Amino acid sequence: MHSLLDQNLACVLQDLKTVNADLQAYVQAKERELAQAHQQLILKEERLQISERERQDMDRELADVNHKLTQKEEELIGKQVQLTQTEAELTRAQEILKRQQQEMEEMMSPASYVSRVSGPGLISATVNKPTHLFVKLTQSSGRACTLQVDVTAQLDFVSQDRVAGKSSVRHKIDIPVVMKSPSQYEMSYTAQSRGQRKIHVHVNNIEIDGSPFTVTVYPDPSHLGRPVKIVTGLTKPFGIAFNNQQCMIVSELGGHQLTLFDTRGHKIMTFGTYGGNPEQMIYPTGVVTDRSDNVYVSSEHKLQKFNSSGVFIKGTGQMGKREGEFYDPCGATLYNNTLYVCDAHNHRIQVFDLDLNFVRSIGTYGNGSGQFDKPLDVKFDIAGNMYVADFGNERLQVMDADGNFISAFGQEGEGKLRGPSAVHIADMYVYVSDWRGDCINVYETSGNFITSFGKHGEKEGDFRAPYCITSCADGYIYVCDNGNYRVQIF
């Protein structure tokens, strides 16, 4: 029994040993697997740590990329702003270029410019006295000129002395031009001899509208004194006018007629007869011509109009003090297509249109500013100022065209007037006939006395009661030497 048990026990023990061995083997195998698993876990943890670092690195790289991308986007936005600004600047530049191209096109065509020429040298000049004129340019579009254009000027004249009978020679002289601004140019010149000149003004080699401009060059008054010619055979000459052919028309106070002379002083014709009919005249005094060569003459208490052939057209006036009536009308002048007539013993200046319709009256009797005492002559300068020979007040009055007083001179000191009977403006000088002084006084337009020539007598250059003094396009000064029955030309 015991041996069976022992056998069984031994078997059980053997089995236990076997189981134990298997268990140990199993445990060992599991331990190895666990060790392997642990090792793998360590490897995975290491790989995980590596991956985390890589992720962090990648995050940093991504953040860096995002930062750079943000910078690039900001740069791109800045570039876009710059591009927009550049496009705007380009648009403005294109507009400027377009305007400049338009201006350049306008520059090449003087028709696109409005040219205005002004200055004392545009109308008259004095021998050996520098003078100037200005050319002002504006574009026809109304815009100011901003680019320089080519402005040139030339003095064109014939040195023909019809009074002295010298031969003629044609001259063309360039006038210096100085640009003051793209819209204004100044020209200066000095004439060496008297006479008529033509000033040609070109813009980009094309002559501007109104060119050539006609200029009369007068003598230097300080060199006057001896006449270059004398026209005789007149009966108390009082007034002188010139027609478009530069023929001289003289009113003969004592002959009761007008006499027409050619440019060499030869008598062509006379018109007017003594009498009181509308077409007749008594003691003709002032004489004026218009652009159509119609002749206007003031005679005893009336004003008359004749055509260029001496045919009577119209008359107006009678003795009286009312508007349009006269009491010894004397010197007359034409300004802005309006006639100004000195109504001597009514102590006023009467104004008429070219159809002899009364317009208005200027002045009253007296010795105050703007008042008259027997005004004998009236003339205008290029500025529109009116000069009146105020005979009884022994002065020359300067007024505007409406009769508003500006100044007076010749009342005292050197150049004092004793009986101013006529006045004439030639360039910058005012010539005044002094009836009582038997001389011609010369002043600046400001009233400053310059010189005087002539004295009482019958010789050349002497005077006896000089009346009208005037000039022609030839630049000579003509004086009615009333008491010596002649016209002296200086």
Side-chain angles (χ1 to χ4, degrees):
M1 180 75 130
H2 285 290
S3 35
L4 181 57
L5 287 171
D6 291 334
Q7 289 176 358
N8 288 334
L9 184 56
C11 290
V12 171
L13 289 172
Q14 185 63 36
D15 290 335
L16 287 172
K17 289 181 181 179
T18 301
V19 170
N20 184 47
D22 291 337
L23 181 60
Q24 287 181 351
Y26 175 78
V27 170
Q28 290 176 354
K30 291 299 181 181
E31 288 177 349
R32 285 194 299 274
E33 290 177 3
L34 183 60
Q36 291 177 352
H38 179 70
Q39 187 65 34
Q40 290 177 358
L41 180 60
I42 292 172
L43 293 174
K44 288 181 178 180
E45 288 177 350
E46 291 177 352
R47 284 197 295 271
L48 185 59
Q49 291 176 355
I50 293 173
S51 298
E52 179 66 21
R53 288 196 297 271
E54 291 177 348
R55 186 187 64 77
Q56 292 175 352
D57 291 340
M58 290 178 65
D59 288 342
R60 285 193 294 271
E61 290 178 0
L62 182 60
D64 186 54
V65 169
N66 289 334
H67 178 67
K68 292 180 178 179
L69 182 59
T70 301
Q71 288 180 331
K72 292 297 183 182
E73 288 176 348
E74 292 175 351
E75 291 177 2
L76 180 60
I77 292 172
K79 294 292 185 183
Q80 288 175 338
V81 172
Q82 291 179 356
L83 180 60
T84 302
Q85 293 174 344
T86 302
E87 288 176 346
E89 291 174 357
L90 180 60
T91 300
R92 287 194 295 270
Q94 289 174 338
E95 292 174 352
I96 293 172
L97 180 60
K98 184 177 180 180
R99 286 197 301 269
Q100 290 177 344
Q101 288 174 340
Q102 291 174 345
E103 291 175 356
M104 186 64 70
E105 290 174 357
E106 291 178 347
M107 281 177 54
M108 301 310 294
S109 173
S112 65
Y113 286 98
V114 178
S115 306
R116 187 170 64 87
V117 185
S118 61
L122 180 64
I123 304 298
S124 61
T126 299
V127 173
N128 294 327
K129 301 288 185 181
T131 188
H132 60 275
L133 56 130
F134 297 94
V135 176
K136 187 174 182 179
L137 300 176
T138 55
Q139 297 178 13
S140 57
S141 60
R143 296 193 302 269
C145 295
T146 57
L147 300 176
Q148 182 179 358
V149 298
D150 182 23
V151 177
T152 59
Q154 190 177 64
L155 204 62
D156 183 4
F157 65 99
V158 175
S159 58
Q160 179 181 10
D161 195 332
R162 67 183 180 89
V163 172
K166 297 179 181 179
S167 60
S168 60
V169 179
R170 191 175 189 85
H171 304 272
K172 290 186 177 182
I173 302 173
D174 291 332
I175 300 176
V177 179
V178 177
M179 185 185 76
K180 296 297 184 179
S181 71
S183 61
Q184 184 161 304
Y185 298 77
E186 181 180 9
M187 307 170 189
S188 301
Y189 67 92
T190 302
Q192 303 299 319
S193 61
R194 72 177 83 197
Q196 198 170 71
R197 304 289 188 269
K198 300 287 186 182
I199 296 180
H200 297 264
V201 180
H202 296 78
V203 175
N204 293 333
N205 297 320
I206 299 179
E207 197 156 15
I208 65 173
D209 291 340
S211 178
F213 302 94
T214 302
V215 177
T216 300
V217 181
Y218 298 101
D220 185 338
S222 61
H223 296 160
L224 298 178
R226 184 178 180 84
V228 296
K229 192 168 185 176
I230 298 177
V231 178
T232 59
L234 299 166
T235 308
K236 288 192 175 295
F238 190 100
I240 299 175
F242 293 90
N243 63 18
N244 290 327
Q245 290 72 45
Q246 298 183 21
C247 295
M248 181 173 65
I249 304 169
V250 181
S251 62
E252 296 188 64
L253 187 72
H256 313 290
Q257 66 184 12
L258 301 183
T259 303
L260 179 66
F261 296 85
D262 66 16
T263 56
R264 292 191 176 276
H266 301 138
K267 185 182 293 186
I268 299 175
M269 62 176 288
T270 62
F271 57 92
T273 58
Y274 177 81
N277 293 331
E279 72 279 3
Q280 294 180 310
M281 58 185 69
I282 300 175
Y283 304 127
T285 51
V287 57
V288 180
T289 58
D290 63 19
R291 293 180 180 178
S292 300
D293 277 345
N294 294 311
V295 181
Y296 304 82
V297 57
S298 55
S299 61
E300 188 177 58
H301 316 314
K302 62 184 177 182
L303 180 63
Q304 298 167 292
K305 181 177 181 179
F306 298 84
N307 68 13
S308 59
S309 300
V311 177
F312 177 76
I313 298 175
K314 188 177 182 180
T316 188
Q318 60 182 8
M319 186 173 181
K321 297 182 179 181
R322 293 180 298 180
E323 294 179 349
E325 296 180 338
F326 297 99
Y327 186 6
D328 289 340
C330 289
T333 193
L334 183 65
Y335 178 72
N336 281 348
N337 291 322
T338 305
L339 283 166
Y340 291 74
V341 183
C342 288
D343 188 6
H345 284 88
N346 281 327
H347 313 291
R348 64 187 178 182
I349 295 172
Q350 296 202 68
V351 185
F352 298 83
D353 64 21
L354 297 187
D355 290 323
L356 306 189
N357 297 309
F358 176 81
V359 177
R360 66 181 185 276
S361 180
I362 297 173
T364 58
Y365 176 71
N367 59 8
S369 298
Q371 293 183 312
F372 303 121
D373 183 354
K374 295 183 286 296
L376 295 187
D377 197 20
V378 56
K379 292 294 187 298
F380 284 84
D381 64 17
I382 60 173
N385 297 316
M386 181 171 65
Y387 295 73
V388 181
D390 191 2
F391 181 84
N393 286 320
E394 299 182 349
R395 64 184 177 181
L396 195 76
Q397 289 202 69
V398 185
M399 313 168 113
D400 65 19
D402 294 323
N404 298 308
F405 177 80
I406 296 175
S407 65
F409 54 87
Q411 297 165 281
E412 58 186 8
E414 191 177 17
K416 184 185 184 311
L417 295 167
R418 296 171 56 194
S421 54
V423 59
H424 178 64
I425 294 90
D427 193 31
M428 64 186 79
Y429 301 107
V430 181
Y431 293 76
V432 182
S433 296
D434 193 336
W435 184 80
R436 292 193 182 103
D438 291 319
C439 65
I440 306 297
N441 283 1
V442 185
Y443 307 83
E444 294 178 338
T445 53
S446 62
N448 294 325
F449 176 73
I450 298 298
T451 188
S452 179
F453 61 92
K455 59 181 177 59
H456 178 77
E458 300 178 357
K459 296 180 180 179
E460 292 185 354
D462 292 343
F463 299 109
R464 291 175 61 197
Y467 275 104
C468 177
I469 180 168
T470 188
S471 62
C472 186
D474 57 16
Y476 286 88
I477 305 298
Y478 296 71
V479 181
C480 282
D481 189 3
N482 180 272
N484 285 322
Y485 303 94
R486 64 189 179 183
V487 171
Q488 296 198 65
I489 305 173
F490 297 86

